[in-house]
Amino acid sequence: MLDSLRPAAKSMMPDDLARELGASTARAIERFGFDAPRFAEQRERLRRGEARLENNELGGPVSPPPPGTIDELPAAGSAARASFAERGAEALCRGEVASVVLAGGMATRFGGVVKANVEVSGGRTFLDLKVALGDRAARRAGAAPPPLVAMTSFATDDAVRDALAKID
């Protein structure tokens, strides 16, 4: 499971940039898939004055989707809801489903603690509960547990990896 959390290697950081950033920072950003060509391109855009705040703002009104554009989930107990559940179970059995955990925040709202690892019920963490949901759905469908995909940040990666290693 943990191998799927590793970012793809991008490209080596130029030596001059590594010196400018310092060894610790350079190692951290390379560990998370630093993309040297993209960085160089963005840096040049900044130097030329092309990357400005007004180019990063929405240009029109922002409004919710119009009524009728989002389908409602069929009522519990309905034939349509049962059909959806059956299709989901079949997809689990075919290995077409994964559980996704978004744990890429900066660990600031929980006082520096990674939210995924906060105990919420009976000594279980948010991450434990997410894994258990996938396992429960798989058991009900008669399928293997789905793979877990975790999106982390440099602030959460180590803690999420450690927690997942204990779950495995």
Side-chain angles (χ1 to χ4, degrees):
M1 180 185 317
L2 292 178
D3 286 342
S4 64
L5 293 173
R6 299 194 193 291
K10 294 289 182 183
S11 56
M12 293 298 295
M13 181 180 303
D15 290 340
D16 61 329
L17 179 59
R19 280 191 300 277
E20 185 179 330
L21 293 173
S24 175
T25 300
R27 276 193 307 275
I29 64 176
E30 281 199 327
R31 176 178 168 211
F32 292 100
F34 178 71
D35 187 335
R38 185 167 185 185
F39 178 82
E41 176 186 319
Q42 294 295 346
R43 182 167 52 181
E44 287 308 309
R45 287 186 67 228
L46 282 167
R47 287 179 177 158
R48 291 189 307 263
E50 296 171 6
R52 298 186 313 270
L53 181 59
E54 57 269 17
N55 295 338
N56 197 32
E57 295 177 347
L58 295 175
V62 177
S63 59
T69 58
I70 299 176
D71 293 334
E72 295 287 327
L73 185 62
S78 69
R81 182 80 165 256
S83 172
F84 284 174
E86 184 177 328
R87 288 170 57 195
E90 290 168 356
L92 272 165
C93 288
R94 288 190 303 269
E96 299 173 349
V97 177
S99 290
V100 177
V101 174
L102 303 178
M106 294 302 297
T108 55
R109 290 185 292 172
F110 277 72
V113 177
V114 176
K115 181 179 174 183
N117 294 341
V118 171
E119 288 187 16
V120 291
S121 178
R124 297 175 79 187
T125 67
F126 283 112
L127 189 57
D128 293 330
L129 295 174
K130 182 65 174 178
V131 170
L133 284 173
D135 290 350
R136 185 175 92 185
R139 274 194 311 279
R140 286 182 175 172
L148 178 76
V149 179
M151 190 273 314
T152 63
S153 70
F154 65 88
T156 63
D157 190 72
D158 289 336
V160 171
R161 283 178 188 273
D162 290 347
L164 286 172
K166 292 174 187 168
I167 293 172
D168 276 348

